[in-house]
Amino acid sequence: QVQLVESGGGLVQAGGSLRLSCAASGRSFSDSAMGWFRQAPGKEREWVAAITWSGDMTHYADSVKGRFTISRDNAKNAVYLQMNSLKPEDPAVYYCAANEVVAGLIGEEKNAWGQGTQVTVSS
């Protein structure tokens, strides 16, 4: 099982950028698909981005495509989410997640989860 700890959240102006990090521990990190989800107050958790275990394929929700970039460094046991051109609809608690496969991760099938990091966007 992978243990996940997010960092990098904070307050940023609309149009600005933030980079979230997720530090992973556990033997299975390099074999795991990784992803990011977010949950805004009063809304359901939604998938944001995913990356395969090798990093050769990435997937994005339409709402963030072209603005957010997911990446990973298996040597550092870390996954990142670079968020650019942040919009007023982006504020949420952002969660890192792990799963054996991307499809399972996006479908939230027995994901491992981090505790979340808050992203706030001021207009």
Side-chain angles (χ1 to χ4, degrees):
Q1 185 74 353
V2 178
Q3 291 78 47
L4 306 169
V5 178
E6 303 93 335
S7 61
L11 173 64
V12 63
Q13 285 189 328
S17 300
L18 274 178
R19 188 192 195 207
L20 305 183
S21 298
C22 175
S25 59
R27 294 182 299 166
S28 59
F29 173 78
S30 59
D31 297 329
S32 299
M34 299 296 297
W36 291 90
F37 289 73
R38 66 186 181 185
Q39 187 169 22
K43 296 186 177 181
E44 293 188 354
R45 183 168 56 200
E46 65 172 343
W47 166 71
V48 174
I51 188 168
T52 54
W53 68 269
S54 64
D56 63 339
M57 292 186 66
T58 56
H59 309 270
Y60 298 95
D62 287 343
S63 58
V64 306
K65 199 172 293 183
R67 299 189 298 123
F68 290 11
T69 302
I70 188 171
S71 62
R72 68 188 294 162
D73 186 337
N74 286 347
K76 295 183 178 180
N77 278 13
V79 63
Y80 308 100
L81 186 68
Q82 178 67 43
M83 305 186 294
N84 298 330
S85 303
L86 283 160
K87 299 180 178 180
E89 56 263 37
D90 292 322
V93 177
Y94 282 71
Y95 297 92
C96 180
N99 197 296
E100 291 184 357
V101 294
V102 168
L105 183 141
I106 295 174
E108 300 191 37
E109 299 172 5
K110 299 182 181 180
N111 285 351
W113 296 97
Q115 84 289 348
T117 186
Q118 177 72 51
V119 171
T120 304
V121 179
S122 63
S123 57

